[in-house]
Structures are given as C-alpha cells and as structure tokens.
Amino acid sequence: MQNILIVGGTGKTGRRITRRLRAAGQAVRTASRTGGDIAFDLADPITWAPALEGVTAAYVVEPNLRASGDRIPRFVAEAVAAGVRRLVLLSAGGVGEADDRHPLKAAEQAVRAAGLDWTILRPDWFSQNFSEGPWLPAVLAGTLSLPTGEGRTPFIDAEDIAEVAAAALTEDHHKSRIYQLTGPRAISFGEAADLIGKATGRTIRHTDVAPEAHIERQVANGIPPEIARLLTGILVAIRDGSAPEPTDGVERALGRPARPFEDYVTETAATGLWN
C-alpha cells in the first residue's frame, strides 16, 4: 500500500488513473485547482507541501504548456524533499527527439535526475481529443479542419495511458522506463472522422487547412504564438508523414496490445455524446 498523489486528478488521465487505483484498494489523493481531494495549483507553490504530505508516489502532469518550463522541475525537487520515492511523468510523444525548447524537455530531465524511481510516459495524440478535448466542437459541427492532410497517426486511448500509469505507480518493474504509447495502427483524420460518422449515423468530414491559417485561428482563440506554432508543427508532421509509427509500449508495460481506435469510437458513440 502506498500513499499516491495524482496531480491533475480530475483531468483526462488523472481521473482514470484514480478510478483504477481506488478499485485496487490503493490510498489515493487527487490534487487539482477545483474538484480534487486537495486544492493544488502548479502556479502556486504554497499548495504543494500540503498535497505532498505523506505521499510516497506521485503522478505528475503539466496541464499548461504555456506556463514557465521550470514548474515541474521545482515541484519534483519539493517532492523529493517531502519523501516521495516514485514519480510517473506524463510527457508527450517526440520529446526525446526534440531540442531543449520543448516545454516538457526540462520536466523529463528533472524526473530522471531526481534520484528516485521514475517512469516517463510519452503518448501520441489521445483518441479522447475527439470526445473530451479540442476536436469535440468540430466533430459536433461536422467538419474537422486541421493541417494534417492524408497523414496518419496512431491515436492512443486515454484508458491505456491510465492503465500504464497505474501500473507504473504501484509495480517495481517499470523503474527507469520510458514508454512510447500509441495505438495499434496509424489512421488518418479523415478515417477517424469516417469511423465516428458511421458509428453515429452522421456525416463528419475532415478538411485540410494551411498551417498558417491554423496558427492564426489558435492565436485568435488565446493560444500564445509559440505554443500555437509548436502544436501546429506536430500536426503538420502528420501530414508530412513524420508522425510516429505504432509502438509496442502498451504491450511492453501491460502484456497486452493497445486498444484499437474502433473500440474507442464504439464505446463513445454508445454514450450519445456525438449526437
């Protein structure tokens, strides 16, 4: 039994991890600005010590790529001082190949240098972005406009990410591992839109858009230009054929294949969310 802290415990991955750990009888504390077991904000170091009290393992996520890149390193240092012995970091696909300007590069370096048990998760684009994230409004409107062309990427189910994270928080054989997490096959955004359309009986299409137009649209919605360029560049890499190939990260961590995108679509369509 461990005392486990889930930073972002009400978020997309955090709440799924929490559900699994509590079902297994683990003592879990969710930390979030609102709705968690304890009020917590990476932007407010005063909230860190109460969240870390008595904690032996922690799941860490940076919810805001616009924030200063030193927040996770400073939090990791405080976690070590508080007695945390195991950290699991939600990073992002491609960080290992990125230069030092990537917002999560310093976070990974801090976790690996902390002198405790660590696991780093580098997921591809979440399947749940179509249902809980930035692409939901476009799916509901029927047109998904992104600078991805016919490029393909292996969307990863957040349920798989959560299961890997829960295992890494509670099992010893994930120490010093970096898991590249993807779905079992790469599909295009057009194929994803078609699958959602067929499951819902709606017409949903994907249209390509110029990268500059996509950046401008994000900036107009309040995203800082540098983050808009970073995220757009990742999408353009899909169009250019530079997206990651499917990996066996989920299978290496859990001993089973990753869930296919079709299963995610079927389960989500059954909820009526997309209708």
Side-chain angles (χ1 to χ4, degrees):
M1 179 73 70
Q2 301 184 73
N3 293 317
I4 302 174
L5 175 69
I6 307 297
V7 172
T10 59
K12 196 175 297 171
T13 57
R15 70 177 188 274
R16 290 175 164 90
I17 298 167
T18 299
R19 183 179 70 239
R20 282 172 169 77
L21 292 175
R22 285 180 172 162
Q26 294 287 345
V28 179
R29 178 184 302 155
T30 59
S32 180
R33 284 179 293 179
T34 59
D37 298 321
I38 190 165
F40 176 89
D41 191 341
L42 274 174
D44 184 4
I46 293 176
T47 67
W48 298 357
L52 289 165
E53 185 177 357
V55 166
T56 55
Y59 174 77
V60 184
V61 57
E62 172 54 84
N64 184 5
L65 291 182
R66 311 174 219 176
S68 169
D70 69 346
R71 299 201 312 182
I72 295 295
R74 288 189 293 119
F75 177 74
V76 167
E78 184 153 341
V80 171
V84 174
R85 300 192 297 273
R86 177 171 294 174
L87 288 173
V88 176
L89 173 70
L90 183 69
S91 185
V95 173
E97 294 75 40
D99 61 34
D100 290 340
R101 291 174 294 179
H102 194 287
L104 293 173
K105 189 78 168 185
E108 285 200 8
Q109 292 171 338
V111 167
R112 296 179 70 174
L116 38 63
D117 295 343
W118 59 265
T119 308
I120 291 173
L121 312 182
R122 292 179 182 161
D124 197 59
W125 291 101
F126 290 20
S127 298
Q128 278 73 11
N129 283 341
F130 292 98
S131 54
E132 301 174 25
W135 304 328
L136 175 59
V139 171
L140 295 176
T143 302
L144 190 66
S145 298
L146 293 168
T148 52
E150 297 300 317
R152 304 165 70 84
T153 195
F155 297 105
I156 176 72
D157 196 311
E159 296 289 351
D160 281 349
I161 300 170
E163 190 169 341
V164 173
L169 285 164
T170 57
E171 299 170 1
D172 290 339
H173 59 277
H174 304 284
K175 296 177 183 178
S176 304
R177 297 283 183 91
I178 299 176
Y179 290 119
Q180 305 282 350
L181 301 178
T182 74
R185 72 182 184 97
I187 64 173
S188 69
F189 278 78
E191 191 174 352
D194 287 344
L195 287 168
I196 295 171
K198 289 176 183 176
T200 58
R202 299 177 53 221
T203 299
I204 302 171
R205 62 193 181 98
H206 165 256
T207 60
D208 195 24
V209 63
E212 296 77 12
H214 188 259
I215 292 171
E216 290 176 3
R217 186 171 63 195
Q218 290 187 89
V219 172
N221 289 331
I223 304 297
E226 65 276 12
I227 300 299
R229 285 192 291 270
L230 171 67
L231 297 176
T232 299
I234 298 172
L235 290 169
V236 170
I238 296 173
R239 185 181 67 180
D240 294 344
S242 300
E245 294 294 324
T247 69
D248 64 351
V250 172
E251 188 160 10
R252 286 195 300 114
L254 303 177
R256 64 158 177 84
R259 298 178 73 223
F261 187 78
E262 290 84 349
D263 286 3
Y264 154 75
V265 169
T266 299
E267 291 178 8
T268 305
T271 70
L273 173 69
W274 287 322
N275 292 107

